[in-house]
Amino acid sequence: MTFLRNQWYCAALSHELKEAPLGRIIANEPIVMYRRGDGTVVALEDRCCHRRAPLSKGRIEGDNLRCGYHGFLYDARGQVIWVPGQDKAPPGARVRAYPLAEKHGFVWLWLGEPALADPAKAPAFTWNDDPRWASCTGHMRIECDYMLLVDNLLDMSHLPFLHINTIGSARDLNARLEWERGPDWLRGVRQAPALSPSPRQRAEGVDFDTDRVQIMTYTPPGNVVIEVIVTEAGKKHGDPSSRYDTTVMVLDSMTPETESTCHYFFGLCRDYDIGNTALTEFSSKAVLVTFGEDKDMLEAEQKIIDLAPHAPQIDVVGDHGGLQARRMVERLLAEEQQGTRQAAE
Amino acid sequence: MTFLRNQWYCAALSHELKEAPLGRIIANEPIVMYRRGDGTVVALEDRCCHRRAPLSKGRIEGDNLRCGYHGFLYDARGQVIWVPGQDKAPPGARVRAYPLAEKHGFVWLWLGEPALADPAKAPAFTWNDDPRWASCTGHMRIECDYMLLVDNLLDMSHLPFLHINTIGSARDLNARLEWERGPDWLRGVRQAPALSPSPRQRAEGVDFDTDRVQIMTYTPPGNVVIEVIVTEAGKKHGDPSSRYDTTVMVLDSMTPETESTCHYFFGLCRDYDIGNTALTEFSSKAVLVTFGEDKDMLEAEQKIIDLAPHAPQIDVVGDHGGLQARRMVERLLAEEQQGTRQAAE
Amino acid sequence: MTFLRNQWYCAALSHELKEAPLGRIIANEPIVMYRRGDGTVVALEDRCCHRRAPLSKGRIEGDNLRCGYHGFLYDARGQVIWVPGQDKAPPGARVRAYPLAEKHGFVWLWLGEPALADPAKAPAFTWNDDPRWASCTGHMRIECDYMLLVDNLLDMSHLPFLHINTIGSARDLNARLEWERGPDWLRGVRQAPALSPSPRQRAEGVDFDTDRVQIMTYTPPGNVVIEVIVTEAGKKHGDPSSRYDTTVMVLDSMTPETESTCHYFFGLCRDYDIGNTALTEFSSKAVLVTFGEDKDMLEAEQKIIDLAPHAPQIDVVGDHGGLQARRMVERLLAEEQQGTRQAAE
């Protein structure tokens, strides 16, 4: 068993589920998602029970999904309700249906035991559809283990190096970093004072130093929410005399596709100038440039790992978050495996 | 042993064997084919016995084939007759020669025991060079197990779905299907009455309903000939009052390249308007669009199969032909294996 | 153990080591090379000891190399001298440093035991920076076992076939070939008299026959230096009445990247018309066309080998050099293995 199963995995952005079915590999399983006539979302096994064609090459018919090869018609529970050439579908003609929860513009899939799926426990990225925030979202496929991206997001010491041409500040070398953890979450606070403006801040007209606080919250298997508060250097968040005082929520969810590839779903929500659609437009492009820098490095890292998977590595203080996250996933995996064994006895 | 060996496999179309040698992988073996000065065709192992360069990168010299690397010259039996730097070729310098049969524009290769190769038993796609028919042929490489294409061609219930934008009729849902079989062949008759015009029929000016009969004949390992008779709905084939009465022979031969890729050789022969070369030209392009729809679906199906090769599947009435064909191939494989064992004892 | 380790492998051309670090896979190991402020060259493991990002995606800072991900700073011995977020680098934070020798425009890497690395024993391609010669160099990645390229360069009987459109002469079929060998070298002399002009000679205005002598010197693991002397047919080298009398040194070094891919470093040095920079320019392009013919054939050969790695092959007189070279490499491999075993006891 490679991946946690009794977990909600982000599988799509709401706006991706429109006229056509959407096929994705999630944790090595082919999944097709679509939106029914009543607007609710459905996830089925993306493999026709007849000749194993992907149902995602078919079409939505009201509440149902029709295979594009021989026309097998599936209802939203995965039951075949029409087959060609005979009056009734054979008994057992069905594919697996997966619990799905749509919340605040993100669609969450439950791979494991359906009885255990509690939509209330799927992550709630509330900022994404809160009118007090301006938001943009995106999806990237990255050819790396999803945990490399968890490492990346929990260790922001890479900002002044990997992102020095976009959002990094050359002076961001002495941040204070503190972690706390609960049974199923990790929280890190990273405080970086008196930062010289990053290239992107300069482009926005910020020509003075700023203080930045990043509050990173991780929940398994691959969710990282980062609250980023930036104020004029030396001023407190909320101080009306600060020339700058913004909060951005960076919403990240990483979902394994295979052992060495993953889906990266993200949202960027800001609390300032929220009516400025040109800025939202700009942000949605700029974030692709920045995250493209991560993608490029992570795919290179994965190739080096593949060359010698057991090469040792050294941990430093910045790795605390990533290491804790990995330990949490390993513990949950062990618990799931034990649960599976007990259920089998 | 994955593939039948004592069988004729289509390996090329006649017009592909011209000035240059043609290299293809057939059932995991590298094969080079060429046409000699006297017009006869030759198939050799496509691997120079010297340094294993593919002979298909060489050139034809009269009856012989010269390796493009160091110039080893092979006669049509695969015997080396010249090597660089010494007066005589070393004993044993030869590659395997394969029996080849050219019939009606298709070239058939015998992979197995040469003594068993009887050209009379290679399929005869006679319509292809019969002056009473207008014909076009083609070759496609498809990244799927060749048996998936056999399944496809023996289950025409996919027409109103996969080909709904080309040759499918939306009303083609209630065809009558009957099968008979002999020891080494299968024949299915599929009768579909009162079909609304397909997009391609509309483009040809057919704006009335038609009846269609498809007579599918399968012979192992991968040959499917389909006689397609279309008449005005309610009229009999041959009735002079029918506004439409055509026969098209669809000639299909699928040859494994590897376990998960294949060659698809095909011909389309019509008995009407045979002097209309513009129509022939149009057909030869249109068939690529239609078969491109199959290729796209079959390659997607293969990827889903590769993801979980043992995922179960459900059979319906339309699968009878494909299942019988697979059983026939399995029986022949078992017979070949037994024969090999007996010969070894 | 697949590859010799206690050997100098060509890893770069001098001019490739400039502003940015250069990453290459050498014998399955990721290597990063760069030039320090003082002009000396450095080779380190191309895998950050922190999170295994390739250091070649970083930047050179004076004598040091900075990882582009989290900014780990390495000195030229591979020692980490700065990490983010803590005052000191952890003990053991280092990557492997490899002995490197830069000689005459070629950079040589020692993979094995550093104590055994003697730069004096790295090949000296002296002609490349000798003012009496005009020179051009290049690098190609070829998807074949590096020994296939050794075979290629030690058997010039392929010239009138593979290179018939560039440097081959159709009449080059009766060369005299003689070999001598020492413990760690091989030398072959190939004399080809009265050659009709090759296409490239014709383009240079040579419309008469020439005699050609090729003196090939192999040293393990993958170095082949070929001295090519061409004179007017029937005239001796040095005879002032010869309408043509040129020497070209072809410098070749092949380095395994993986078992089935390699780096090809080469130089072409001529002793005539050395001030003609247009000719040098032309040569540096023309050699890519000729060596592109080799690359194309060798990659095709490798694919055929991969299809059936144990297919037999036949040796002829031209293979003497390649076979001796392989035997030499196998003997050295056995010696290294024995040495390793003895060291372990």
Side-chain angles (χ1 to χ4, degrees):
Chain A
M1 207 160 72
T2 313
F3 300 118
L4 285 170
R5 300 192 63 79
N6 288 326
Q7 291 287 339
W8 290 103
Y9 283 102
C10 191
L13 299 167
S14 285
H15 71 76
E16 294 182 297
L17 301 185
K18 285 188 292 196
E19 298 81 19
L22 175 69
R24 282 206 168 118
I25 310 286
I26 305 286
N28 289 322
E29 294 189 29
I31 309 287
V32 57
M33 290 166 281
Y34 68 99
R35 194 177 291 282
R36 289 195 286 187
D38 66 1
T40 55
V41 289
V42 179
L44 303 176
E45 193 179 339
D46 191 16
R47 172 171 47 216
C48 184
C49 65
H50 174 222
R51 283 298 169 266
R52 295 182 279 180
L55 298 175
S56 53
K57 294 183 81 68
R59 60 173 188 252
I60 304 167
E61 297 189 359
D63 280 4
N64 303 322
L65 182 60
R66 169 122 24 215
C67 180
Y69 194 176
H70 300 88
F72 277 54
L73 188 64
Y74 291 83
D75 71 15
R77 293 163 309 148
Q79 191 64 47
V80 175
I81 55 178
W82 184 90
V83 301
Q86 50 191 66
D87 292 338
K88 282 193 178 169
R94 56 181 305 280
V95 295
R96 202 180 150 192
Y98 295 85
L100 211 58
E102 185 171 25
K103 294 171 99 165
H104 309 289
F106 290 78
V107 179
W108 304 87
L109 179 84
W110 185 267
L111 281 178
E113 182 52 50
L116 301 176
D118 177 2
K121 291 194 177 152
F125 286 178
T126 56
W127 308 269
N128 189 47
D129 58 2
D130 184 323
R132 290 166 298 176
W133 298 78
S135 174
C136 61
T137 56
H139 167 255
M140 259 184 189
R141 190 175 166 274
I142 304 190
E143 300 199 340
C144 75
D145 177 351
Y146 80 113
M147 288 306 290
L148 295 187
L149 194 44
V150 171
D151 292 342
N152 171 290
L153 287 160
L154 295 180
D155 181 7
M156 285 293 149
S157 72
H158 73 277
L159 284 177
F161 300 101
L162 185 56
H163 300 304
I164 191 63
N165 296 316
T166 54
I167 60 166
S169 161
R171 261 196 254 137
D172 184 8
L173 303 173
N174 300 297
R176 224 173 91 192
L177 183 60
E178 276 165 8
W179 289 96
E180 56 174 331
R181 59 175 291 181
D184 287 325
W185 56 268
L186 269 180
R187 180 164 300 124
V189 179
R190 184 175 188 271
Q191 292 178 277
L195 300 177
S196 48
S198 73
R200 204 152 287 156
Q201 282 179 316
R202 281 195 192 282
E204 279 192 44
V206 178
D207 58 1
F208 46 85
D209 286 2
T210 55
D211 294 342
R212 192 184 57 221
V213 180
Q214 292 160 314
I215 305 168
M216 304 162 272
T217 306
Y218 166 78
T219 53
N223 308 299
V224 177
V225 171
I226 312 178
E227 182 178 1
V228 184
I229 301 159
V230 179
T231 51
E232 185 179 344
K235 306 273 179 173
K236 282 202 186 310
H237 180 40
D239 176 343
S241 78
S242 177
R243 281 187 285 171
Y244 201 78
D245 191 348
T246 65
T247 303
V248 172
M249 301 299 305
V250 187
L251 315 172
D252 306 289
S253 194
M254 285 69 74
T255 298
E257 184 186 59
T258 68
E259 281 72 9
S260 61
T261 61
C262 68
H263 298 286
Y264 181 17
F265 300 97
F266 53 86
L268 220 70
C269 311
R270 70 178 192 275
D271 73 344
Y272 62 99
D273 209 2
I274 64 172
N276 186 344
T277 53
L279 177 57
T280 307
E281 194 69 26
F282 172 81
S283 286
S284 68
K285 284 174 188 159
V287 69
L288 292 179
V289 176
T290 306
F291 290 0
E293 293 168 339
D294 293 300
K295 173 179 160 75
D296 181 59
M297 182 59 80
L298 292 167
E299 294 185 343
E301 186 188 354
Q302 183 69 50
K303 279 187 191 147
I304 294 292
I305 291 174
D306 289 344
L307 207 57
H310 302 296
Q313 56 184 32
I314 293 271
D315 303 321
V316 293
V317 67
D319 298 306
H320 182 85
L323 293 170
Q324 292 292 323
R326 284 166 181 268
R327 237 163 265 164
M328 210 172 274
V329 168
E330 276 153 31
R331 174 178 54 78
L332 292 168
L333 267 172
E335 286 172 12
E336 275 197 15
Q337 273 161 331
Q338 199 175 25
T340 308
R341 263 198 304 274
Q342 285 173 344
E345 278 162 19
Chain B
M1 207 161 72
T2 314
F3 300 118
L4 285 169
R5 299 191 62 80
N6 288 327
Q7 291 287 339
W8 289 103
Y9 283 102
C10 190
L13 299 167
S14 285
H15 70 77
E16 293 181 299
L17 301 184
K18 286 190 289 196
E19 299 81 20
L22 175 69
R24 280 206 169 117
I25 309 288
I26 304 286
N28 289 322
E29 293 189 29
I31 309 287
V32 57
M33 290 166 282
Y34 68 98
R35 196 176 289 283
R36 288 195 287 189
D38 67 0
T40 55
V41 288
V42 179
L44 303 177
E45 192 180 340
D46 191 17
R47 173 172 45 217
C48 184
C49 65
H50 174 222
R51 283 297 168 266
R52 295 183 278 180
L55 297 175
S56 53
K57 293 184 81 69
R59 62 174 188 250
I60 305 167
E61 296 188 359
D63 281 4
N64 303 321
L65 182 60
R66 167 116 35 209
C67 181
Y69 194 177
H70 301 88
F72 277 54
L73 189 64
Y74 292 82
D75 71 15
R77 294 163 307 148
Q79 190 64 49
V80 174
I81 55 178
W82 185 89
V83 300
Q86 50 192 64
D87 291 339
K88 282 193 176 168
R94 55 181 306 279
V95 294
R96 202 180 150 191
Y98 295 84
L100 211 57
E102 186 171 26
K103 294 172 102 165
H104 310 288
F106 290 78
V107 179
W108 304 87
L109 179 84
W110 185 267
L111 280 179
E113 181 53 50
L116 302 176
D118 177 2
K121 292 195 177 150
F125 287 176
T126 57
W127 308 268
N128 188 48
D129 58 2
D130 183 324
R132 291 166 297 176
W133 298 78
S135 175
C136 61
T137 56
H139 167 255
M140 257 184 193
R141 190 176 165 275
I142 303 191
E143 299 199 339
C144 75
D145 176 350
Y146 81 114
M147 289 305 289
L148 294 187
L149 195 43
V150 171
D151 292 343
N152 172 288
L153 287 161
L154 295 181
D155 181 7
M156 284 293 149
S157 72
H158 73 277
L159 284 178
F161 299 101
L162 185 56
H163 301 304
I164 191 64
N165 296 315
T166 54
I167 60 167
S169 161
R171 262 197 254 136
D172 183 7
L173 303 174
N174 301 297
R176 223 173 92 194
L177 183 60
E178 275 165 7
W179 289 96
E180 55 174 332
R181 59 175 290 179
D184 287 324
W185 56 268
L186 269 181
R187 180 163 300 125
V189 179
R190 185 175 187 272
Q191 292 178 277
L195 300 178
S196 49
S198 73
R200 203 154 287 154
Q201 282 178 317
R202 281 195 192 283
E204 279 193 43
V206 178
D207 57 2
F208 45 86
D209 286 1
T210 55
D211 294 342
R212 191 184 55 219
V213 180
Q214 292 161 312
I215 305 168
M216 303 161 274
T217 306
Y218 166 79
T219 54
N223 308 300
V224 177
V225 172
I226 311 177
E227 182 178 2
V228 184
I229 301 160
V230 179
T231 52
E232 186 180 344
K235 307 272 182 175
K236 284 202 183 311
H237 180 40
D239 176 343
S241 79
S242 177
R243 281 187 285 169
Y244 200 79
D245 191 348
T246 66
T247 303
V248 172
M249 301 300 303
V250 187
L251 316 171
D252 306 290
S253 194
M254 285 69 74
T255 298
E257 183 186 60
T258 67
E259 282 72 8
S260 61
T261 61
C262 69
H263 299 286
Y264 181 20
F265 300 97
F266 53 86
L268 220 69
C269 311
R270 69 177 191 275
D271 74 343
Y272 63 98
D273 208 3
I274 63 171
N276 185 343
T277 53
L279 178 57
T280 307
E281 193 70 27
F282 172 81
S283 287
S284 69
K285 283 173 189 161
V287 71
L288 292 179
V289 176
T290 307
F291 290 0
E293 293 168 337
D294 294 299
K295 172 179 161 78
D296 181 57
M297 181 59 79
L298 293 166
E299 295 186 342
E301 187 188 353
Q302 183 69 50
K303 278 187 191 147
I304 295 291
I305 291 173
D306 290 343
L307 207 57
H310 303 296
Q313 55 183 36
I314 294 270
D315 303 322
V316 292
V317 68
D319 298 306
H320 183 86
L323 293 170
Q324 292 292 323
R326 283 167 182 268
R327 237 163 266 162
M328 210 172 272
V329 168
E330 275 153 32
R331 175 178 54 78
L332 291 168
L333 265 171
E335 286 172 14
E336 275 199 13
Q337 272 162 333
Q338 199 175 27
T340 308
R341 265 198 304 273
Q342 285 172 347
E345 277 161 17
Chain C
M1 206 159 76
T2 314
F3 300 118
L4 286 168
R5 299 192 62 80
N6 288 327
Q7 290 287 339
W8 290 102
Y9 282 102
C10 190
L13 300 167
S14 284
H15 70 77
E16 294 182 297
L17 301 184
K18 284 189 292 198
E19 297 80 20
L22 174 69
R24 280 204 171 119
I25 310 286
I26 305 287
N28 289 321
E29 294 190 29
I31 308 286
V32 56
M33 290 167 280
Y34 68 98
R35 194 176 291 282
R36 289 196 285 189
D38 67 0
T40 55
V41 289
V42 178
L44 303 177
E45 193 179 340
D46 191 17
R47 173 171 45 216
C48 184
C49 64
H50 173 223
R51 284 297 169 268
R52 296 183 279 180
L55 298 175
S56 53
K57 294 184 80 68
R59 61 173 189 252
I60 304 167
E61 296 188 0
D63 281 4
N64 303 322
L65 182 59
R66 168 121 27 213
C67 180
Y69 195 176
H70 300 89
F72 277 54
L73 188 64
Y74 292 84
D75 71 15
R77 294 162 307 148
Q79 190 64 48
V80 175
I81 55 177
W82 185 89
V83 301
Q86 51 192 65
D87 291 339
K88 280 192 179 172
R94 56 182 305 280
V95 294
R96 201 179 151 193
Y98 295 84
L100 210 58
E102 185 171 26
K103 292 171 102 165
H104 310 288
F106 290 77
V107 178
W108 305 87
L109 179 84
W110 184 267
L111 280 179
E113 181 53 49
L116 301 176
D118 177 3
K121 291 193 176 152
F125 286 178
T126 57
W127 308 269
N128 188 47
D129 58 2
D130 183 323
R132 291 165 297 177
W133 298 77
S135 174
C136 60
T137 57
H139 167 256
M140 257 184 193
R141 189 175 166 276
I142 303 190
E143 299 200 339
C144 75
D145 176 351
Y146 80 113
M147 289 307 289
L148 295 187
L149 194 44
V150 171
D151 290 344
N152 171 290
L153 286 161
L154 295 180
D155 181 7
M156 284 293 150
S157 73
H158 73 277
L159 284 178
F161 300 101
L162 185 57
H163 299 305
I164 191 63
N165 296 316
T166 53
I167 60 167
S169 161
R171 260 197 255 136
D172 184 7
L173 303 174
N174 301 296
R176 222 172 93 195
L177 182 61
E178 275 165 6
W179 288 96
E180 55 174 332
R181 57 175 291 181
D184 286 325
W185 56 268
L186 270 180
R187 179 163 301 126
V189 180
R190 185 175 187 272
Q191 291 177 278
L195 300 178
S196 49
S198 73
R200 203 152 287 155
Q201 282 179 317
R202 281 197 191 281
E204 278 192 45
V206 178
D207 57 2
F208 45 85
D209 286 0
T210 56
D211 294 342
R212 191 185 56 220
V213 181
Q214 292 161 312
I215 306 168
M216 303 162 274
T217 305
Y218 167 79
T219 54
N223 307 300
V224 177
V225 171
I226 311 177
E227 182 177 2
V228 184
I229 301 159
V230 180
T231 51
E232 185 179 345
K235 307 274 182 172
K236 282 200 186 313
H237 181 40
D239 176 344
S241 79
S242 175
R243 279 188 286 170
Y244 200 80
D245 192 347
T246 65
T247 302
V248 172
M249 300 300 303
V250 187
L251 315 172
D252 305 289
S253 193
M254 285 69 75
T255 298
E257 183 187 58
T258 68
E259 281 72 8
S260 61
T261 60
C262 69
H263 298 286
Y264 181 19
F265 300 97
F266 53 85
L268 220 71
C269 311
R270 70 177 191 274
D271 74 344
Y272 62 99
D273 208 3
I274 63 170
N276 187 342
T277 53
L279 178 57
T280 307
E281 194 70 25
F282 172 80
S283 287
S284 67
K285 284 174 188 161
V287 70
L288 291 180
V289 176
T290 306
F291 290 1
E293 293 168 339
D294 294 298
K295 172 180 160 78
D296 181 58
M297 181 59 81
L298 292 167
E299 294 186 343
E301 186 187 356
Q302 183 70 49
K303 278 186 191 146
I304 294 292
I305 291 173
D306 290 343
L307 207 58
H310 302 296
Q313 55 183 34
I314 294 271
D315 303 320
V316 293
V317 68
D319 298 306
H320 183 85
L323 293 170
Q324 292 292 322
R326 283 165 182 269
R327 236 163 265 163
M328 211 171 272
V329 168
E330 276 153 32
R331 175 177 53 77
L332 291 168
L333 265 172
E335 286 172 11
E336 275 198 15
Q337 273 161 333
Q338 199 174 28
T340 308
R341 263 199 305 275
Q342 285 172 343
E345 278 161 18

